Amino acid sequence: MFIDCSHLIRSNPPRLHYGVAVVDMNDDDVWEIFIAGFDGANRVLRWDGAGFSDIVDETLADAQRQAIGVAAGDLDGDGREEIYVLNTDTFAGRKRFGDRLFDFQEVGWVDLFELPQNREALNLTAGRSVAVVDRLGTGRYGFFVANYGGPFRLYELDRFDEVQDMASAAGVSFTTGGRGVITLPLVTSRMDIFTVNENGPNLLFANRGDGTFEEIARRAGLPDPHEHGRGVAAGDFDGDGRFDLVYGNWEGPHRLFLQKWDGLFVDATPTDMAEPSRVRTVIAADFDNDGELEIFFNNIGEPNRLFARRGDGWTKIDPGDALEPAGLGTGAAVGDFDGDGRLELLISHGEADLQPLSLYRPAPNDHAWLRVLPLTRAGAPARGAVVALHAGGRRQLRTIDAGSGYLCQMEAMAHFGLGHVGAVENVAVRWPDGTTTTIIAPAVNRVLRVPHP
């Protein structure tokens, strides 16, 4: 499946890297890759037409902190995404150094937590993952932080543009061994929150529609209380028009939960997929543009795994160069950085030893594709929007990534492979506020930008 293209990263020394997020850093409609640096500076890689260069500035580099998780979202509704960097200097509980919440202003990038009015809100609990959620459907996102040994956080701006922790008001201020988090309209028409945890059951926060959440993991069949969750991804894995969940458990059986009825999940994990591993990031994406999702398990200290849907089941297939039998994978993300309509896969490494980054491309083919970018009213990526594509007698379903399971965040794009289908009947978009629009017969092999109507 994958071909090693790591030579395209111009400066790639062995480092301790963790979370990876795909963000439009310069507000110029080009995706960059933000990589959390644990043993030194964070990095920002940008494709320049021939390779990737590091364009990080001193503020974002933040070389004195130990970064592990990262996510982006438009916190203030100005059309440009802010960046939350989760720093951790201890395994659990109280930590010394706080997180960063970077906002681009006239003077450049500014950490909002450094401003006097926001210092009381600073997160000083060891966290693992961060994702964004538009709980009210306003186009302004909050940053949900899955803390370990302290309460979850949900950071939003109030009417005075001060950062406030709204987790208690929203009903999500739980304390557990937080690990991975994903946010999307999973069991309601608004953005829900699902967390996989360590030393405790998973949690599913269903959006009541009024800005508050109800925890329903046990009712939904998702608690899995005896395992230790890591990466988690969502997708329509059985083609029934509902979002399902796949996640990895650290050295325990991995899970593929299919949503068979609205809000009720059934464990349908194939034996090969369930086999325990030292898993980190889990990614669901159509890497070969054949119109079917693949599922990628990134492991640390043992080979990675790739699964493809064949007929009504899932089969383990050869990931090619991305097998990485000696790789110490800590994070991973996908995006189309060179604009060729195929997803690249970047894997970060570290924790146990220093290793360089890895970059992979899928093997070339002539499959058609369509990429859909819904936008908020302000023009920012509409993370959490749902996109459905009808083509060739089939319906494909995607959500715009708002934070991908463990430490990472994918590009804010609905990527559809079409195989040898050369025409699309329609594309339907539903925003987190419930607004919908339909585009009839869009051209293929292009990026379709969809403004909020």
Side-chain angles (χ1 to χ4, degrees):
M1 172 70 79
F2 291 107
I3 299 169
D4 189 358
C5 297
S6 304
H7 65 279
L8 294 173
I9 304 173
R10 291 197 173 90
S11 175
N12 193 13
R15 289 275 309 277
L16 297 181
H17 291 120
Y18 276 84
V20 181
V22 181
V23 190
D24 179 3
M25 302 288 302
N26 299 325
D27 198 28
D28 60 357
D29 299 328
V30 176
W31 298 118
E32 283 85 29
I33 310 171
F34 191 108
I35 304 159
F38 189 78
D39 62 339
N42 301 320
R43 306 188 66 191
V44 176
L45 300 184
R46 180 182 174 90
W47 176 256
D48 61 15
F52 288 90
S53 300
D54 191 346
I55 63 166
V56 72
D57 68 11
E58 184 177 354
T59 300
L60 293 178
D62 203 18
Q64 305 308 311
R65 297 286 172 98
Q66 294 173 308
I68 63 168
V70 58
D74 188 4
L75 180 76
D76 54 12
D78 67 350
R80 183 166 183 166
E81 294 192 307
E82 282 65 52
I83 302 170
Y84 194 106
V85 180
L86 199 158
N87 298 298
T88 292
D89 51 61
T90 187
F91 179 78
R94 184 83 174 177
K95 63 185 179 184
R96 291 182 302 145
F97 297 111
D99 300 338
R100 300 291 197 187
L101 180 49
F102 292 114
D103 176 33
F104 191 82
Q105 300 180 2
E106 289 184 5
V107 296
W109 291 99
V110 173
D111 176 18
L112 296 182
F113 283 134
E114 285 288 303
L115 302 180
Q117 65 268 28
N118 297 329
R119 287 176 184 165
E120 277 192 26
L122 182 63
N123 181 38
L124 288 173
T125 302
R128 290 298 181 272
S129 296
V130 57
V132 296
V133 57
D134 180 3
R135 64 186 176 102
L136 295 168
T138 63
R140 292 165 65 110
Y141 292 83
F143 285 91
F144 179 93
V145 184
N147 277 329
Y148 195 112
F152 292 160
R153 304 279 188 161
L154 178 58
Y155 288 113
E156 297 177 351
L157 288 184
D158 65 15
R159 61 193 180 94
F160 302 108
D161 285 337
E162 295 183 5
V163 178
Q164 301 287 345
D165 177 14
M166 301 301 296
S168 292
V172 297
S173 183
F174 282 52
T175 297
T176 184
R179 283 289 186 174
V181 57
I182 190 170
T183 60
L184 74 155
L186 181 65
V187 295
T188 76
S189 60
R190 299 296 182 102
M191 291 188 74
D192 308 310
I193 304 170
F194 177 66
T195 72
V196 292
N197 303 310
E198 188 167 87
N199 298 316
N202 299 329
L203 300 170
L204 173 57
F205 299 103
N207 195 321
R208 291 191 175 105
D210 60 358
T212 66
F213 296 83
E214 178 186 7
E215 203 290 300
I216 63 165
R218 182 176 296 277
R219 186 194 315 167
L222 293 170
D224 210 9
H226 305 297
E227 302 301 333
H228 307 300
R230 291 298 189 271
V232 53
D236 182 4
F237 298 124
D238 56 1
D240 69 351
R242 300 181 182 90
F243 283 115
D244 311 304
L245 293 169
V246 59
Y247 64 88
N249 284 315
W250 178 258
E251 297 184 332
H254 307 320
R255 306 296 192 191
L256 175 64
F257 277 104
L258 301 180
Q259 189 173 181
K260 287 300 185 182
W261 300 270
D262 289 341
L264 181 61
F265 293 79
V266 175
D267 187 354
T269 319
T271 301
D272 282 352
M273 189 181 293
E275 181 183 350
S277 70
R278 305 180 73 209
V279 67
R280 290 307 183 103
T281 311
V282 177
I283 295 174
D286 187 354
F287 291 107
D288 57 6
N289 284 346
D290 68 346
E292 297 281 0
L293 291 172
E294 286 83 46
I295 297 174
F296 179 76
F297 283 79
N298 177 220
N299 295 312
I300 181 169
E302 57 186 85
N304 298 325
R305 300 183 198 165
L306 183 65
F307 297 87
R309 190 176 173 193
R310 299 288 186 260
D312 293 331
W314 288 87
T315 301
K316 186 178 179 180
I317 64 173
D318 183 4
D321 292 342
L323 182 68
E324 292 196 348
L328 301 172
T330 49
V334 295
D336 179 14
F337 305 108
D338 57 7
D340 68 352
R342 292 183 295 145
L343 294 174
E344 286 84 51
L345 169 66
L346 185 132
I347 300 177
S348 62
H349 307 91
E351 187 168 304
D353 200 0
L354 306 175
Q355 285 187 345
L357 303 166
S358 297
L359 179 73
Y360 300 100
R361 285 173 168 166
N365 59 53
D366 60 354
H367 293 164
W369 50 273
L370 181 67
R371 291 164 57 74
V372 183
L373 175 59
L375 302 171
T376 66
R377 292 184 183 91
R383 297 187 185 270
V386 175
V387 184
L389 177 144
H390 294 81
R394 294 181 59 239
R395 181 177 187 260
Q396 297 188 54
L397 193 66
R398 303 282 189 272
T399 184
I400 305 303
D401 193 82
S404 297
Y406 193 54
L407 310 178
C408 301
Q409 187 183 56
M410 309 297 129
E411 62 173 0
M413 187 83 70
H415 179 92
F416 296 96
L418 299 172
H420 296 293
V421 175
V424 172
E425 297 166 28
N426 63 71
V427 169
V429 179
R430 187 179 80 239
W431 279 263
D433 65 358
T435 301
T436 62
T437 194
T438 301
I439 299 94
I440 305 298
V444 301
N445 296 339
R446 58 171 288 210
V447 173
L448 177 64
R449 296 171 62 87
V450 187
H452 192 287

